[in-house]
Amino acid sequence: MRDGGNIHAVEQSGADWMGFIFYPRSPRYMKYPPSYMPRIQKRVGVFVNSDIDEVTYKAHAYGLDYIQLHGDETPDYCAALRERGLRIIRALSVASEEDLRRAALYPMADFLLFDTPTESYGGSGKRFRWDQLRSYRGPQPFLLSGGLSPDALPALRAFSHPLCMGIDLNSGFETAPAVKDAAAIARFIKSIKHNA
């Protein structure tokens, strides 16, 4: 999200959190402060291999509730952010059940985000095999990401895991990079909650 009007529209969709990408190589990069920031949703800043001081500065400047890390950030890096009072969402790519073992390296994270492996850092628009998550035992709750779009609804209704706390909607609900279809998001969220 980066356009004030679009942010305001999505704010009414029923979403709980809203993401802002601070990775310059992303087509969704938020280079300048938007004219409006959400007042209802939690604000999530997405970073990739950023300097710790920069992350800390932007967390305070934008009132971020969570820092989502999508790069090669080490456990020590995450712990340093945690020591600064920041709450962490650590993204991990899942190509096999073995990848889930890396979750144990990040006990300082508030949430994990399981995503589809890519050559870059997220944004593949593709789903990974969710059945691999059966072997995940925690302790952290996780968010499900990767290729979620309106046609993912049947698969999401069929998916169940006691530690899955939410889903990450992004490119599958865009009309252009960083421009979300607020009406489609609202319909999707209503459908998910109605059948929960």
Side-chain angles (χ1 to χ4, degrees):
M1 305 296 302
R2 65 182 177 211
D3 174 77
N6 194 220
I7 290 169
H8 189 268
V10 172
E11 189 177 37
Q12 311 307 314
S13 70
D16 297 310
W17 296 356
M18 198 177 293
F20 303 91
I21 297 186
F22 294 97
Y23 178 47
R25 296 178 63 182
S26 170
R28 298 170 185 86
Y29 175 50
M30 191 172 76
K31 187 173 184 178
Y32 304 106
S35 60
Y36 179 84
M37 286 290 281
R39 297 179 181 137
I40 299 171
Q41 283 84 5
K42 298 289 186 187
R43 301 174 186 182
V44 180
V46 180
F47 296 86
V48 176
N49 302 329
S50 296
D51 179 80
I52 287 179
D53 288 336
E54 177 190 358
V55 174
T56 305
Y57 169 76
K58 288 187 174 171
H60 295 296
Y62 287 88
L64 303 178
D65 298 288
Y66 288 94
I67 304 301
Q68 184 171 310
L69 301 172
H70 259 276
D72 305 310
E73 296 88 359
T74 65
D76 287 344
Y77 177 103
C78 296
L81 286 178
R82 190 63 190 240
E83 287 171 7
R84 295 184 179 201
L86 301 177
R87 291 182 283 185
I88 308 296
I89 301 170
R90 183 63 173 105
L92 296 173
S93 298
V94 180
S96 68
E97 291 183 10
E98 187 172 329
D99 289 327
L100 295 173
R101 296 189 189 122
R102 290 186 299 137
L105 298 173
Y106 297 95
M108 75 296 293
D110 296 274
F111 294 91
L112 299 173
L113 182 142
F114 294 136
D115 201 358
T116 306
T118 66
E119 291 183 6
S120 56
Y121 297 103
S124 71
K126 297 178 181 176
R127 268 182 252 165
F128 65 95
R129 285 181 38 234
W130 298 347
D131 62 303
Q132 297 171 113
L133 298 177
R134 285 189 304 237
S135 66
Y136 179 68
R137 297 290 181 264
Q140 293 105 320
F142 70 86
L143 308 171
L144 188 61
S145 186
L148 298 178
S149 62
D151 66 2
L153 192 57
L156 281 169
R157 286 179 175 157
F159 176 78
S160 178
H161 192 292
L163 292 170
C164 183
M165 297 294 116
I167 56 176
D168 180 26
L169 306 181
N170 195 7
S171 61
F173 290 84
E174 287 183 329
T175 57
V179 181
K180 301 295 186 287
D181 184 335
I185 291 173
R187 286 193 299 270
F188 192 81
I189 290 173
K190 184 177 180 180
S191 294
I192 287 286
K193 290 184 175 180
H194 180 71
N195 291 284

